[in-house]
Amino acid sequence: MRAQPEASHFIDGAFVEDAAGAPIDVFHPATGEVIARVHSATPAVIDRALESARAAQAVWAATAPAERGRVLRRAADIIRARNRELSELETLDTGKPLQETLVADATSGADALEYFGGLADAITGEYIPLGGPGDDFVYTIREPLGVCVGIGAWNYPTQIACWKAAPALACGNAMVFKPSETTPLCALEVARIMIEAGAPPGLFNVVQGLGDVGAALATDPRVDKVSLTGSVPTGAKVYSAAAAQLKHVTMELGGKSPLIIFDDADLEDAVGGAMLGNFYSTGQVCSNGTRVYVHRAIKERFLARLAERTAAIRIGDPLDEATQMGPVVSAAQHAKVLSYIELGKREGARLVCGGQALPGPGWWVQPTVFADVTDDMRIAREEIFGPVMCVLDFEDEEDVIARANDTEFGLSAGVFTRDLKRGHRVIARIRAGACWINAYNLAPVEAPFGGMRKSGVGRENSRAALDHYSQIKSVYVGMKPVDSPY
Ligand code: NAD
């Protein structure tokens, strides 16, 4: 098998196997071939991972923050040096084209490790005076939470592992990471690289498994925090399991984000933004702008140019660097996306282009655009997570803001307009956590990323992530004789 890892899990600085766990086949989505087989973590494996994380966390929390930062930055350097091999593995695992994985996966993980490595020795408390010199005062200490669990989705496996591990480790925590069962391979390489970079064994462990392993981790009393990237239904389950023990959580969940294109927008930019926000990673991006509201005055021109540029997308072998779109990740996702395409046809949306599966082997779908979509159609309300764009019409700014906000989600939003004031005015009123004006789907580590409403809790990336992986201790210091009435 062409991508078989040394063993299923990575615990305490080494690959670990326990063949008693249920086997999980790993498929290359472009061919459907089995490229690896891993085993789900048994209770013994989970126990070992948590115990070693606990021991490593104690060592790590006692390590100078500057040294912690150096370890993370070395890991970033190693990832960059191995970008090609990591990207090829990511492409085999996810089916995303190498053209994308070379620039958006391991490199994005490296950015996070470098950024949080740089911040590790700047995670400080504050001094709070309560009077003048010599009077009582308070100081604060920013402490780690302890052992954090990361649970990943399958669309950005390396990035998700690093986006969770980097701030967690910078703050002095350890992490046990469970990748998605669909894409278990790359997190193991991240774990290997952490050790090479000088992290203590056990600081970043990887265990494989389905939802039951995630649930076992999320409910274990040795775990202080759970950070999930996944769908809203899974988020609700993990959030309530964590709540039963009052654990900290970060929830990065799904979306059905609006992208509003006004009639004064640069048409090429707007078409390019809508395509990036619907077809990148074969449409399997949580922040995708899948409800594209286009002003009626430019709608037909927009659709014509969109159809022309969509027809030119190079679909094919994702390992060929010229390929721009690969398959969807799995047979299940393939069936789901195709069922939504059929639903769109039945609901009466106008099929502008695509609308079919492409022949296998592997799980291929044509990039698909529906126009004349209305807000009540299920294709406009539910997350499809495939290359399916819904174009809706609007004329009035107030009206489109209300319609954009009429969703249970709140992950992302975008506006294309040349009117500076309108761009800011509209975004200010959209209820979404990660927004763009005249751009779409760029997520630099410097910017907070995360959702409002059912799209999530907490933020990844940026300084904001540090708040979600640390807790504040305040210390009151009495400088005077104790004034006790007793
Ligand atoms: P999913 O919810 O099916 O699974 C996510 C992870 O949770 C997997 O590792 C799975 O094994 C685990 N899991 C399932 N049940 C569990 C349980 N009861 N307890 C603990 N863990 C459990 O999601 P998916 O299909 O892997 O990924 C696609 C979804 O992820 C989409 O909805 C997408 O929008 C979302 N996503 C969000 C972001 C973000 O940053 N907001 C990023 C990527 C993907």
Side-chain angles (χ1 to χ4, degrees):
M1 284 188 277
R2 50 173 165 157
Q4 183 63 33
E6 280 174 45
S8 298
H9 319 288
F10 194 97
I11 299 172
D12 212 27
F15 280 92
V16 169
E17 193 54 270
D18 182 352
I24 300 171
D25 282 343
V26 186
F27 299 93
H28 180 38
T31 59
E33 79 187 277
V34 175
I35 54 167
R37 180 165 298 139
V38 296
H39 291 272
S40 182
T42 54
V45 164
I46 294 172
D47 188 61
R48 220 169 131 184
L50 289 171
E51 281 305 310
S52 93
R54 224 154 66 136
Q57 198 268 325
V59 174
W60 186 242
T63 303
E67 174 55 17
R68 300 206 297 247
R70 279 191 285 273
V71 170
L72 298 185
R73 295 199 307 273
R74 273 199 296 274
D77 291 344
I78 299 170
I79 286 179
R80 288 214 180 89
R82 289 191 202 151
N83 184 37
R84 178 158 285 273
E85 68 187 83
L86 291 168
S87 301
E88 284 173 0
L89 186 60
E90 189 85 311
T91 289
L92 282 171
D93 209 4
T94 62
K96 297 195 295 177
L98 197 52
Q99 191 183 94
E100 287 185 18
T101 52
L102 282 169
V103 297
D105 292 87
T107 54
S108 161
D111 288 351
L113 289 160
E114 184 175 62
Y115 177 85
F116 288 105
L119 284 179
D121 57 3
I123 302 168
T124 55
E126 58 180 340
Y127 166 81
I128 305 164
L130 299 173
D135 286 329
D136 293 2
F137 62 95
V138 172
Y139 65 91
T140 64
I141 306 171
R142 205 166 258 284
E143 295 188 347
L145 301 173
V147 173
C148 302
V149 160
I151 302 175
W154 42 256
N155 58 341
Y156 280 83
T158 311
Q159 182 190 83
I160 291 170
C162 294
W163 280 20
K164 295 191 187 307
L169 270 43
C171 290
N173 304 286
M175 177 162 277
V176 177
F177 186 77
K178 189 201 83 64
S180 164
E181 59 273 26
T182 310
T183 54
L185 303 179
C186 289
L188 292 168
E189 291 307 312
V190 174
R192 186 206 302 266
I193 286 169
M194 291 286 193
I195 293 296
E196 283 179 44
L203 189 69
F204 180 73
N205 292 327
V206 173
V207 298
Q208 309 292 354
L210 280 65
D212 59 328
V213 173
L217 289 167
T219 51
D220 193 288
R222 288 167 288 188
V223 170
D224 300 284
K225 151 139 201 166
V226 186
S227 175
L228 169 80
T229 297
S231 60
V232 173
T234 303
K237 280 188 218 158
V238 177
Y239 199 176
S240 51
Q245 293 175 30
L246 297 170
K247 294 183 199 302
H248 297 251
V249 296
T250 296
M251 294 283 145
E252 290 289 349
L253 308 176
K256 190 76 188 179
S257 300
L259 173 55
I260 304 171
I261 298 171
F262 284 94
D263 50 350
D264 65 345
D266 180 305
L267 194 72
E268 279 305 299
D269 279 356
V271 170
M275 291 176 75
L276 271 177
N278 280 273
F279 298 149
Y280 205 71
S281 294
T282 320
Q284 304 163 118
V285 181
C286 52
S287 50
N288 271 355
T290 43
R291 290 184 289 143
V292 183
Y293 290 92
V294 182
H295 194 281
R296 218 162 261 148
I298 58 163
K299 177 181 127 184
E300 291 308 328
R301 274 197 300 139
F302 176 89
L303 288 173
R305 188 63 184 126
L306 176 64
E308 200 175 10
R309 285 177 64 176
T310 301
I313 293 176
R314 285 195 292 274
I315 304 170
D317 178 4
L319 287 162
D320 177 349
E321 262 184 72
T323 293
Q324 295 172 317
M325 187 183 281
V328 296
V329 76
S330 63
Q333 198 60 21
H334 191 241
K336 179 180 167 196
V337 173
L338 288 173
S339 77
Y340 271 108
I341 290 175
E342 290 313 310
L343 178 65
K345 294 175 189 168
R346 281 205 308 278
E347 286 184 307
R350 165 162 59 118
L351 187 64
V352 175
C353 55
Q356 304 285 340
L358 288 165
W363 303 298
W364 302 87
V365 182
Q366 286 178 329
T368 296
V369 176
F370 282 113
D372 303 338
V373 176
T374 55
D375 296 292
D376 55 336
M377 290 182 186
R378 279 180 56 203
I379 56 167
R381 303 204 69 80
E382 298 172 17
E383 187 183 47
I384 300 174
F385 226 58
V388 183
M389 187 190 305
C390 293
V391 177
L392 305 93
D393 312 354
F394 78 97
E395 263 168 8
D396 177 63
E397 184 179 313
E398 277 300 314
D399 172 58
V400 78
I401 291 171
R403 292 164 62 198
N405 281 332
D406 180 19
T407 168
E408 60 181 1
F409 299 109
L411 185 54
S412 296
V415 175
F416 276 85
T417 177
R418 284 197 177 94
D419 180 337
L420 198 62
K421 288 183 189 166
R422 175 158 62 192
H424 293 290
R425 185 171 68 226
V426 171
I427 280 297
R429 293 183 55 199
I430 301 285
R431 286 187 282 176
C435 300
W436 292 272
I437 298 174
N438 292 333
Y440 207 83
N441 258 357
L442 301 169
V445 66
E446 297 87 343
F449 186 84
M452 295 181 180
R453 298 199 273 176
K454 286 195 179 164
S455 290
V457 176
R459 291 293 176 270
E460 295 198 307
N461 288 343
S462 81
R463 284 183 168 274
L466 299 175
D467 294 338
H468 299 292
Y469 285 101
S470 59
Q471 55 196 340
I472 293 175
K473 176 183 282 175
S474 73
V475 182
Y476 186 111
V477 181
M479 299 290 286
K480 302 272 171 56
V482 172
D483 180 13
S484 167
Y486 313 109

